[in-house]
Amino acid sequence: MTDANIRIPEEAKDRLAAIATGEGLSLRAYLARLAETLLTPEERAARAEQARIALREWNGYAPSAEEQRDLDAELDRRLAQVTGR
């Protein structure tokens, strides 16, 4: 196992350490578990494609590229609304 030095704000480190402690983990173990559970952009794209294929096979849903862009924009708008961004 290799070590890595990552510079983050002290407040972020303290928050992550508190979360880790709350889950009974060291900060190192928590970050390792977090890295294992998050998807890379490539993995997210592959899962999205799998979902599109499954929907098309299941019920014929096959949005055009323009419809997908519109749906993505609507989702981004709604997420921004609820997160205040």
Side-chain angles (χ1 to χ4, degrees):
M1 180 183 317
T2 61
D3 284 335
N5 291 320
I6 301 171
R7 293 183 181 271
I8 61 172
E10 188 72 25
E11 300 82 26
K13 181 199 146 283
D14 292 345
R15 180 176 173 79
L16 289 169
I19 294 167
T21 299
E23 295 191 22
L25 298 169
S26 68
L27 181 54
R28 177 185 293 209
Y30 177 76
L31 291 174
R33 188 179 75 180
L34 183 64
E36 291 171 3
T37 61
L38 296 176
L39 298 175
T40 65
E42 294 81 13
E43 291 167 334
R44 282 195 307 275
R47 286 202 182 174
E49 182 59 23
Q50 290 171 342
R52 280 190 289 275
I53 290 168
L55 284 169
R56 186 177 63 240
E57 291 173 355
W58 178 57
N59 66 6
Y61 179 73
S64 67
E66 182 179 350
E67 290 171 319
Q68 286 184 37
R69 281 191 301 275
D70 291 346
L71 291 167
D72 287 344
E74 178 63 13
L75 179 58
D76 289 342
R77 185 190 69 75
R78 290 182 185 200
L79 288 171
Q81 186 177 20
V82 297
T83 61
R85 294 182 185 161

